[in-house]
Amino acid sequence: MTDVTSALPLAGYTVVTLEQAVAAPLATRHLADLGARVIKLERIGEGDFARNYDDAVHGLASHFVWLNRGKESVALDLKSAEGRDVARRLIADADVFVQNSAPGAAERLGLGADLLRSSDPQLITAGISGYGTAGPRRDRKAYDMLIQAESGLVSITGTPETGTKTGIPTADIAAAMYTCNAVVAALLRRERTGRGATLDLSMFDATVEWLGHPMYMQMYGGRQIPRMGLSHAAIAPYDSYPTSDGEILIGVQNDRGWTALVTQVFDRPDLVTDPRFATNQARVHHRQECDGAVASLTRTLTTAELDARLAVAGVAAASLNDMDGLVDHPQLSTRDRWRDVETPAGTIRGLLPPMIFDDVELPMGAVPDLGEHSRALLDELGLGSETAAMIEAGVVGVPAVAPAPVG
């Protein structure tokens, strides 16, 4: 395998980030996965508030462990002139600055895009907000659940009786992925032109982009996509169906799939020509009868038997796993996707990044303690002789006594 330091796509780039919670931390974790050096600015004492969401991972928060490996943490009092000066000096040596602070907060700290790029036009800044930098909701709080509701995502998620948010922070993740994508694109452009970029991303815009199908259905079809649970508004059969010992999800995308299901899996060729089921539109129109016919056949087989038959026939199917099922999934273990990750509380397991390069394995860096790299980073800035006084004055934070490692 090629030497990691030379083969990582973003090796040699430095990212400084003023971030909290999910959206910006996930974006910058992916940049770290790709080889960038990521320096995380954190509040003294508390740090990123996601550090305190829970204590599930040997006393560490599961969100923080997920989102912050491979980063360096420096704890600063950004309300102090000295702390802001340290932040600006770190950014001056960086290629990218990412922040998801409240609207206007970065500007009040002297870390606004216009000011930073006035002295460094090649700098790439990325600001992530809830609703964008203008508009009537610009200054409103924008947690993931609120964006899911405001964007209409909740209106199509859940059961016919109850709307729900998704089980993961979809709006945060969407914003993170577009931020990572935009930063990489801006770096590519800078290589060609020498020009930096000011990037403006919002959780609302990112989530709305993912709602293209139901949005166009409303605008041009004149109808709201209904909440369907595990089912699909435009396809049938597409749902969870009972077996003799459990359940299985079956998804038929077209009429060829329907023919394979009822002939090869169930030996019921009469259902191919049944006018209620002959086309997808007919099956959707007669969804209750279609689902009933499929369920009457699936419940005659065990889950394992049915899954094997579906696989042979090439009909899409899946198990309805819980998190235990995911952790033990053979698709992960067989493909050697697990690696050890170091944390302040000891070694844990983590999954390799989903971007797979054939010539280099992306790194699984350690999860930083709060302020773990403060001293080293101040040394790099030539402030080593001032470090002790800055720590004493509460301008710079360093780790408290580390917890005893687990395992």
Side-chain angles (χ1 to χ4, degrees):
M1 184 161 293
T2 305
D3 175 56
V4 170
T5 57
S6 63
L8 290 174
L10 296 184
Y13 291 105
T14 298
V15 179
V16 174
T17 179
L18 177 62
E19 59 184 20
Q20 302 274 6
V22 176
L26 180 57
T28 59
R29 199 215 78 188
H30 282 313
L31 296 173
D33 291 340
L34 291 167
R37 182 187 191 188
V38 176
I39 299 170
K40 184 181 180 79
L41 308 180
E42 297 195 70
R43 182 184 291 109
I44 293 175
E46 177 186 359
D48 179 339
F49 52 68
R51 285 183 180 273
N52 301 305
Y53 279 171
D54 60 65
D55 59 359
V57 186
H58 302 327
L60 305 176
S62 53
H63 274 82
F64 191 85
V65 166
W66 165 41
L67 298 166
N68 289 283
R69 68 165 187 256
K71 302 179 186 180
E72 299 171 50
S73 170
V74 55
L76 296 172
D77 176 13
L78 293 179
K79 294 182 179 180
S80 70
E82 297 92 337
R84 292 192 297 272
D85 180 64
V86 171
R88 282 192 290 267
R89 292 176 68 165
L90 288 168
I91 295 167
D93 289 339
D95 301 281
V96 181
F97 175 57
V98 178
Q99 59 88 14
N100 68 334
S101 49
E107 287 74 11
R108 290 191 294 273
L109 292 171
L111 302 177
D114 291 346
L115 180 61
L116 292 174
R117 295 197 60 229
S118 67
S119 58
D120 182 5
Q122 290 194 322
L123 180 68
I124 294 163
T125 66
I128 306 174
S129 61
Y131 292 101
T133 56
R137 299 192 72 83
R138 173 187 181 275
D139 296 318
R140 298 291 295 271
K141 290 188 181 297
Y143 306 135
D144 178 85
M145 176 187 68
L146 306 178
I147 298 293
Q148 290 197 37
E150 193 73 30
S151 67
L153 177 57
V154 169
S155 77
I156 62 168
T157 307
T159 66
E161 297 78 23
T162 306
T164 66
K165 67 179 181 65
T166 60
I168 57 173
T170 299
D172 281 315
I173 294 171
M177 301 314 295
Y178 285 117
T179 301
C180 181
N181 190 35
V183 166
V184 172
L187 287 170
L188 284 170
R189 188 181 73 172
R190 195 179 73 173
E191 292 296 320
R192 298 195 316 273
T193 68
R195 188 167 77 249
T198 299
L199 305 174
D200 172 19
L201 301 107
S202 79
M203 296 162 63
F204 185 76
D205 290 347
T207 306
V208 169
E209 171 62 28
W210 286 10
L211 289 165
H213 161 60
M215 180 182 69
Y216 280 111
M217 185 63 73
Q218 178 65 54
M219 287 195 298
Y220 296 103
R223 62 188 178 93
Q224 163 79 27
I225 294 293
R227 294 189 297 268
M228 300 291 293
L230 287 174
S231 190
H232 195 292
I235 303 172
Y238 194 109
D239 210 331
S240 173
Y241 297 93
T243 64
S244 64
D245 61 353
E247 58 182 336
I248 196 168
L249 190 102
I250 298 174
V252 171
Q253 291 276 357
N254 51 48
D255 297 338
R256 294 188 305 279
W258 173 251
T259 298
L261 176 66
V262 297
T263 59
Q264 297 180 48
V265 177
F266 297 127
D267 194 23
R268 286 289 305 274
D270 57 299
L271 294 178
V272 175
T273 56
D274 187 315
R276 298 171 300 168
F277 311 140
T279 67
N280 181 64
Q281 291 187 16
R283 292 191 295 274
V284 170
H285 184 70
H286 297 280
R287 184 186 298 276
Q288 187 172 355
E289 298 100 307
C290 178
D291 283 342
V294 172
S296 69
L297 298 167
T298 60
R299 62 169 48 99
T300 65
L301 300 168
T302 67
T303 303
E305 290 170 339
L306 178 54
D307 186 56
R309 290 194 186 189
L310 291 164
V312 170
V315 176
S319 302
L320 277 79
N321 279 319
D322 58 13
M323 289 299 99
D324 271 341
L326 170 63
V327 170
D328 294 332
H329 204 296
Q331 196 68 16
L332 297 175
S333 57
T334 302
R335 294 168 58 239
D336 191 28
R337 298 293 296 156
W338 292 101
R339 293 290 183 275
D340 286 344
V341 176
E342 298 306 317
T343 80
T347 303
I348 64 169
R349 286 202 299 165
L351 286 169
L352 281 167
M355 306 85 76
I356 300 174
F357 287 70
D358 69 352
D359 61 341
V360 64
E361 182 173 293
L362 298 186
M364 301 281 285
V367 178
D369 200 357
L370 176 59
E372 179 178 342
H373 304 90
S374 295
R375 294 181 188 273
L377 286 166
L378 264 63
D379 284 346
E380 285 188 35
L381 293 176
L383 298 173
S385 61
E386 303 172 39
T387 300
M390 295 176 81
I391 293 172
E392 179 68 24
V395 173
V396 174
V398 293
V401 177
V406 176

